[in-house]
Amino acid sequence: QTGDANWETCHVTFDHGGNVPYIEGQSIGIIAPGPDKKGEQPARIRLYSIASSAVGDDQTSKTVSLCVKRVVEVGGQFANREVGEDKPDKAGTHFPDDKVYRGVCSNHICDMSVGDDVMITGPTGAEMLLPEDPEANIIMLATGTGIAPMRSYMRLLFHDDAGANADGTRKFKGLAWLFMGVPFSKSLLYDDEHTEYKSKYPEQFRFDYAVSREDKNAAGQKMYIQTKMAEYTEELWTLMQDQKTHIYMCGLKGMEAGMAECFGEIAEKNGLVWADVSKQMKKDHRYHVEVY
């Protein structure tokens, strides 16, 4: 727990029986019973980035996993529970003395029990797919549950049998570098997996965390993703000049502005404008963005 009302994040695995084949970087839709905030029943489809690789966490190709933050807002502008109406959720959290808004789909998912049925649509999405070149470099920027597609990539690249050659070496030959931003160190997701990949493949996997409410840089600024990346500006810039380098960004809307903040100066030093650089990378299908 972090002290925030919306502290809870769940890793949830659904058995689709092989009926929802997907690939890394795609999303699925979940339909909650509702009613949603417009009163619709069932609720409208809510898309979630898939957090498992194509074979699933159990490598049977019959499961799909999501990383879902339970949306709970207390005393805000919107509420779907009046004072006294909020009941304890599966984690035991409730706010009976306040008006509360609970995200319809996220609470539906986080309150599920083993054996419950779930309505799934999809898969969908082509923006976040991995490059086919096994020698590509992958720079991943994730805030919070935006880690989901990055986890799907890393499972394939560093964990699954599907990503291994017959002799046990990995098919992936490039560098994968993850930057993850969270408010609290308690909010870090899949840290055990990142640590394991780093220990097994130190030449191919790097990760850096930006914990905004706990860490500061040398200048005393809060540590956001762009603040952390600024420690490696030259190295990252050089990597980006390689046509085999792809950038993947998933999470909060402000992330792209952070990139401009981080690389504006070095682009200028090289006689370029960052907006043009990122535009060209998008044109070359090397700059992949999924923000919400």
Side-chain angles (χ1 to χ4, degrees):
Q1 294 214 23
T2 60
D4 283 357
N6 61 344
W7 61 273
E8 187 185 3
T9 301
C10 296
H11 181 85
V12 188
T13 301
F14 301 125
D15 180 348
H16 61 73
N19 296 313
V20 189
Y22 60 88
I23 55 177
E24 294 81 10
Q26 290 194 295
S27 300
I28 55 169
I30 301 292
I31 301 175
D36 61 17
K37 58 184 169 191
K38 290 188 174 168
E40 292 189 28
Q41 283 183 285
R44 291 200 172 180
I45 294 169
R46 170 77 166 83
L47 287 179
Y48 289 93
S49 299
I50 295 170
S52 49
S53 55
V55 295
D57 287 352
D58 59 0
Q59 299 193 62
T60 63
S61 298
K62 292 182 178 178
T63 64
V64 59
S65 299
L66 301 180
C67 175
V68 179
K69 187 177 184 70
R70 185 193 288 277
V71 175
V72 184
E73 293 167 11
V74 178
Q77 192 181 343
F78 302 102
N80 50 12
R81 285 154 178 78
E82 294 300 317
V83 174
E85 288 182 358
D86 192 45
K87 302 287 184 278
D89 55 34
K90 194 178 174 185
T93 305
H94 71 308
F95 302 91
D97 301 328
D98 292 281
K99 283 186 172 187
V100 179
Y101 174 76
R102 284 185 177 267
V104 174
C105 202
S106 68
N107 279 268
H108 169 61
I109 294 169
C110 292
D111 282 335
M112 280 183 176
S113 298
V114 174
D116 286 354
D117 287 340
V118 59
M119 288 176 73
I120 293 176
T121 68
T124 184
E127 169 66 24
M128 297 289 283
L129 304 186
L130 279 171
E132 287 177 14
D133 184 355
E135 294 188 355
N137 300 308
I138 296 160
I139 299 169
M140 300 168 279
L141 320 180
T143 53
T145 55
I147 192 68
M150 316 312 175
R151 180 180 185 264
S152 77
Y153 308 150
M154 291 184 280
R155 295 284 287 188
L156 172 66
L157 302 181
F158 300 119
H159 175 272
D160 296 346
D161 295 342
N165 294 307
D167 64 359
T169 58
R170 304 307 296 177
K171 292 176 182 175
F172 176 64
K173 301 299 179 195
L175 170 71
W177 192 347
L178 169 69
F179 289 87
M180 183 179 183
V182 292
F184 304 100
S185 48
K186 282 181 179 177
S187 316
L188 288 167
L189 303 167
Y190 308 114
D191 178 55
D192 54 338
E193 296 181 13
H194 305 153
T195 305
E196 184 186 336
Y197 303 148
K198 176 72 179 165
S199 68
K200 283 186 179 174
Y201 308 102
E203 301 303 310
Q204 285 189 276
F205 181 62
R206 296 172 66 170
F207 68 93
D208 284 274
Y209 294 149
V211 185
S212 60
R213 295 199 207 170
E214 294 176 16
D215 297 342
K216 287 186 168 65
N217 67 0
Q221 298 167 309
K222 277 187 174 184
M223 188 65 78
Y224 295 110
I225 280 188
Q226 64 268 27
T227 329
K228 177 53 77 174
M229 291 179 81
E231 296 175 12
Y232 305 98
T233 311
E234 298 276 352
E235 196 176 349
L236 289 164
W237 178 259
T238 304
L239 261 178
M240 280 188 261
Q241 306 321 298
D242 183 342
Q243 290 299 305
K244 288 194 282 196
T245 298
H246 289 246
I247 292 174
Y248 291 86
M249 206 179 297
C250 187
L252 301 172
K253 258 183 191 159
M255 294 177 79
E256 281 202 89
M259 290 292 283
E261 189 184 310
C262 186
F263 295 108
E265 198 176 313
I266 195 166
E268 210 173 298
K269 262 190 215 167
N270 287 273
L272 300 163
V273 177
W274 170 251
D276 297 337
V277 175
S278 58
K279 199 175 184 179
Q280 187 59 49
M281 285 187 80
K282 279 178 188 170
K283 220 179 247 183
D284 297 338
H285 305 293
R286 299 198 295 123
Y287 194 89
H288 314 267
V289 183
E290 192 168 83
V291 291
Y292 40 80

